[in-house]
Amino acid sequence: MAVLVFGKASWSSTIYSIADTFTVNTMEKDADGFYAPPSADAGPSTQPPPEEPEAPANPEEEKTNVSDLIKSTFEVTVTLADQQADPNSPLYSAKTFEQLGLHQDLLKGLYAMGFTKPSKIQERALPLLLSNPPTNMIGQSQSGTGKTAAFVLTMLSRVDFSKNKPQALCLAPSRELARQIMSVVAAMGKFTSIQTEYAIKDNLPRSASNVTAHIIVGTPGTMTDLIRRKVIDVSEVKVFVLDEADNMLDQDGLGEQTLRVKNMLPRSPAPQIILFSATFPDNVRTFANKFAPKANKIELQREELSVDNIRQLYLDCKDEEHKYDILVLLYHVLTIGQSIIFCQHRHTADRIAQRMTAEGHKVASLHGAKDAQERDSIIDRFREGKEKVLITTNVIARGIDIMQVNMVVNYDLPLIERERPRRCTARCRNIHSSYWTNGTIWSERSFHQLRS
Ligand SMILES: Nc1ncnc2c1ncn2[C@@H]1O[C@H](COP(=O)(O)OP(=O)(O)OP(=O)(O)O)[C@@H](O)[C@H]1O
């Protein structure tokens, strides 16, 4: 078994000294900007855990000094579905929010959020997203580059505030991400009369009959249910957004439910479909092209992880018990602000939480078997810093953005390789202190996965 730790140089010596106690293997950077083990032989595989894993979730990064926005040096590639390919057209790119012709109230919201100019992806995406007639969009750029802000601004811009009917729907893979997106809608729309509603489990009473909110953010199962029961009238829906779109369209995951929602939306005029994700694997890309036909395609080239700040290490573990001991040892020897420990299975998350709590650590576990209110309260308490350690499964592996997290431990490696770096980087991008740690703990089976 192996334990992998990522850490900022300032404390990496600490990790190395922990490592001296066990067996530490430093790693070299691989083609994707991650550290990979130096030697080819990693030993025999261990058996995968026996129970079903939680839903899969997903990588990347670098950060600016002021905002959490990831600084991009690469160019944006745009494949245009129409005549907007002309660089002389005002639709080509927008260097300022004013150039986009946004309503004053939205500009006020943006400024209040501290946004002074569009990010790289926003520069090219927003003119296309806001142009008329509306055109579908398939956008890909790494985590933290401003995709959420781009689609939220589009939803807000397209709402007719004189109509109290749903006009924009947004789907996300988890209630936690839906709530996070809604917080952006609320902040950006603060100076407008926007009304919003969630389509997440247990949010609306069963007796609710007619949602009049303009923007509805939710998860696909609940959204389907509410539309079917006509609680949500979709006749005026003009924008349909999928965040973490690869996850939302994956046929082995949420794809079927997402398609159900789309099939209930008006055919004519069809809503503008906006798909954003940090990754689009080939199998999903084909479906995405069908799902959002004739879309403008926009891609911010993938950059390497900000390896200057991240040291990745792993520690060999003899067995599960040893792995747990090392985990606990990390908390004894490191000063950690907040951290997230990712496990593949709910029972592992609960078991570690129980053990760590019994040993005096302040931890909480969050996974899909908890009820809705409990999940909300756990993530809220963690965001507020009331809990220091969140032990979780893939339910929050995507898109969740928590400022104070400075260590991510992958206790088990995600089954889907592309998910691993997302876990490590998306969550840690907001660290403003000089102390930045990511940690991963996994088995030798995972070690082989990491190297491949
Ligand atoms: N134009 C901007 N100026 C300053 N900050 C921005 C701008 N756009 C977005 N941000 C901030 O940058 C951070 C990342 O933005 P956002 O969450 O939209 O990225 P993302 O690409 O959607 O990430 P993920 O893929 O993880 O969801 C957020 O804290 C957001 O408030």
Side-chain angles (χ1 to χ4, degrees):
M1 314 213 55
V3 176
L4 180 84
V5 178
F6 304 76
K8 187 171 164 90
S10 60
W11 63 270
S12 60
S13 54
T14 317
I15 292 291
Y16 282 116
S17 63
I18 302 170
D20 293 338
T21 319
F22 302 92
T23 307
V24 162
N25 305 277
T26 56
M27 301 167 78
E28 285 161 11
K29 205 171 82 174
D30 67 16
D32 289 326
F34 295 98
Y35 284 92
S39 84
D41 185 17
S45 301
T46 53
Q47 289 304 309
E51 108 190 41
E52 280 299 303
E54 290 264 48
N58 265 330
E60 292 78 339
E61 143 129 35
E62 195 182 312
K63 65 180 196 127
T64 59
N65 49 355
V66 181
S67 122
D68 311 324
L69 197 60
I70 306 301
K71 203 157 95 196
S72 300
T73 49
F74 281 77
E75 278 310 305
V76 181
T77 309
V78 185
T79 311
L80 295 154
D82 50 36
Q83 72 286 357
Q84 290 152 352
D86 176 7
N88 299 316
S89 157
L91 294 175
Y92 183 72
S93 170
K95 297 284 181 203
T96 66
F97 287 119
E98 289 78 5
Q99 276 179 298
L100 292 164
L102 297 169
H103 193 281
Q104 262 328 100
D105 295 343
L106 285 177
L107 286 175
K108 272 206 247 172
L110 286 166
Y111 299 145
M113 291 174 82
F115 293 12
T116 49
K117 64 183 182 63
S119 69
K120 200 119 188 157
I121 190 90
Q122 291 163 3
E123 266 181 26
R124 298 301 301 276
L126 280 169
L128 298 166
L129 284 166
L130 299 173
S131 67
N132 283 311
T135 310
N136 295 340
M137 163 75 74
I138 300 176
Q140 175 177 9
S141 81
Q142 66 187 79
S143 292
T145 48
K147 299 186 293 292
T148 308
F151 69 70
V152 167
L153 195 55
T154 309
M155 291 198 289
L156 283 164
S157 300
R158 295 221 179 264
V159 165
D160 175 349
F161 293 98
S162 68
K163 288 185 185 167
N164 287 333
K165 282 190 121 185
Q167 295 167 53
L169 304 185
C170 174
L171 292 181
S174 69
R175 69 183 289 114
E176 286 76 13
L177 186 53
R179 293 178 76 230
Q180 185 175 289
I181 293 167
M182 195 65 105
S183 70
V184 180
V185 176
M188 216 174 262
K190 187 174 170 193
F191 300 97
T192 69
S193 50
I194 193 73
Q195 291 169 38
T196 60
E197 188 54 84
Y198 284 115
I200 54 178
K201 195 164 170 256
D202 296 342
N203 185 64
L204 284 170
R206 197 69 198 163
S207 57
S209 59
N210 184 21
V211 169
T212 54
H214 306 120
I215 296 182
I216 302 175
V217 183
T219 48
T222 307
M223 189 75 85
T224 308
D225 178 53
L226 292 173
I227 299 173
R228 272 209 185 121
R229 292 196 289 115
K230 305 207 183 314
V231 178
I232 295 175
D233 170 3
V234 292
S235 60
E236 299 275 344
V237 169
K238 296 182 261 191
V239 191
F240 181 40
V241 178
L242 302 185
D243 192 15
E244 303 293 347
D246 62 333
N247 203 213
M248 303 302 299
L249 295 175
D250 192 337
Q251 291 304 292
D252 295 328
L254 297 166
E256 209 174 296
Q257 290 182 4
T258 305
L259 188 60
R260 256 182 234 143
V261 174
K262 187 197 167 200
N263 287 342
M264 290 189 282
L265 299 183
R267 301 273 147 150
S268 177
Q272 178 182 23
I273 298 174
I274 302 172
L275 312 181
F276 268 122
S277 183
T279 48
F280 274 104
D282 290 344
N283 59 325
V284 175
R285 197 176 284 273
T286 311
F287 185 42
N289 288 333
K290 281 194 202 140
F291 195 92
K294 299 187 183 147
N296 287 317
K297 299 197 180 98
I298 193 154
E299 189 177 339
L300 186 64
Q301 283 183 23
R302 194 189 150 154
E303 292 172 57
E304 289 193 339
L305 187 67
S306 176
V307 290
D308 294 347
N309 287 332
I310 299 176
R311 176 86 56 200
Q312 303 186 51
L313 303 168
Y314 70 93
L315 294 114
D316 276 334
C317 308
K318 291 195 276 290
D319 49 32
E320 281 294 324
E321 193 57 26
H322 191 206
K323 191 163 84 162
Y324 174 78
D325 290 344
I326 287 181
L327 174 72
V328 174
L329 187 66
L330 285 176
Y331 287 95
H332 283 303
V333 298
L334 297 176
T335 308
I336 298 159
Q338 277 188 292
S339 62
I340 301 179
I341 301 171
F342 281 107
C343 304
Q344 203 63 46
H345 305 286
R346 296 164 182 182
H347 85 259
T348 316
D350 281 340
R351 204 182 54 221
I352 297 173
Q354 278 160 8
R355 283 188 74 174
M356 289 185 75
T357 303
E359 290 168 25
H361 296 271
K362 218 167 155 21
V363 308
S365 76
L366 172 64
H367 51 67
K370 305 251 175 193
D371 74 41
Q373 272 178 354
E374 200 181 353
R375 277 173 71 166
D376 293 351
S377 139
I378 291 167
I379 195 87
D380 290 347
R381 285 178 60 79
F382 189 67
R383 279 188 193 283
E384 289 160 18
K386 289 180 180 154
E387 307 289 357
K388 299 295 178 211
V389 183
L390 187 65
I391 307 174
T392 188
T393 56
N394 275 333
V395 285
I396 65 153
R398 277 182 172 235
I400 297 296
D401 193 358
I402 299 175
M403 290 283 283
Q404 309 85 338
V405 171
N406 56 5
M407 182 168 93
V408 170
V409 176
N410 278 319
Y411 197 77
D412 304 307
L413 194 70
L415 293 181
I416 299 174
E417 168 56 19
R418 69 174 190 274
E419 306 295 331
R420 176 177 55 80
R422 275 200 176 179
R423 282 180 174 182
C424 297
T425 59
R427 264 129 299 287
C428 288
R429 66 175 178 237
N430 293 318
I431 292 174
H432 292 284
S433 79
S434 60
Y435 182 69
W436 184 343
T437 312
N438 283 335
T440 298
I441 299 185
W442 72 74
S443 67
E444 281 188 23
R445 177 175 61 88
S446 320
F447 179 89
H448 286 299
Q449 268 178 268
L450 176 78
R451 292 175 54 216
S452 63

